[in-house]
Amino acid sequence: MSVTLRDAQHLCWKNFSKINDRLDPERGKGWTPFVMVTDLLEEAGEVASAVKGLEGFKPPEKPKTKEMLATELSDLLYIIFVLAEHYGIELEEAFLQTVNDYVLRFVK
Ligand SMILES: [Mg+2]
């Protein structure tokens, strides 16, 4: 399956909204941007843990794999898309601008 960043962002938001709408009454509260950011930081920590394990800085009895890293990177991307959509940001445009900025800055 191939999707654009825009499609992926909208898909994440659609799924997030569906889940949040279902769970809100049970929890008695919805996910605010604050909770989204704490989730983003939590997922970033899980990415760090996976990389730390892959690089041999975690106990060997709890090995990390590339598949685990892929999952954590995907978790992180998911919440980044959700946060962007919450604020009405089209991340695809911003991302392409960022890539262009890096090229202009470092590739001359
Ligand atoms: Mg995770």
Side-chain angles (χ1 to χ4, degrees):
M1 181 172 82
S2 178
V3 295
T4 65
L5 284 180
R6 182 175 303 215
D7 291 343
Q9 180 176 325
H10 292 172
L11 177 64
C12 289
W13 180 255
K14 187 176 164 189
N15 288 344
F16 171 83
S17 297
K18 192 185 302 182
I19 293 165
N20 209 26
D21 289 348
R22 201 187 76 214
L23 294 179
D24 274 0
E26 294 173 19
R27 289 189 300 230
K29 56 190 172 194
W31 274 42
T32 64
F34 170 76
V35 181
M36 292 174 200
V37 169
T38 58
D39 194 55
L40 187 155
L41 295 172
E42 183 181 336
E43 296 303 343
E46 291 170 0
V47 167
S49 179
V51 170
K52 205 172 168 186
L54 284 168
E55 296 300 323
F57 293 97
K58 291 290 246 185
E61 61 271 15
K62 292 184 178 179
K64 301 292 184 182
T65 64
K66 284 185 181 179
E67 291 75 21
M68 295 164 96
L69 177 58
T71 298
E72 299 308 342
L73 286 169
S74 295
D75 288 349
L76 183 58
L77 189 57
Y78 179 90
I79 197 63
I80 288 171
F81 281 145
V82 167
L83 191 60
E85 188 72 16
H86 175 83
Y87 285 107
I89 296 167
E90 287 292 347
L91 211 50
E92 186 173 80
E93 293 170 26
F95 178 73
L96 291 173
Q97 184 61 53
T98 297
V99 171
N100 193 46
D101 289 348
Y102 272 105
V103 170
L104 291 173
R105 201 159 132 204
F106 297 108
V107 183
K108 293 183 179 174

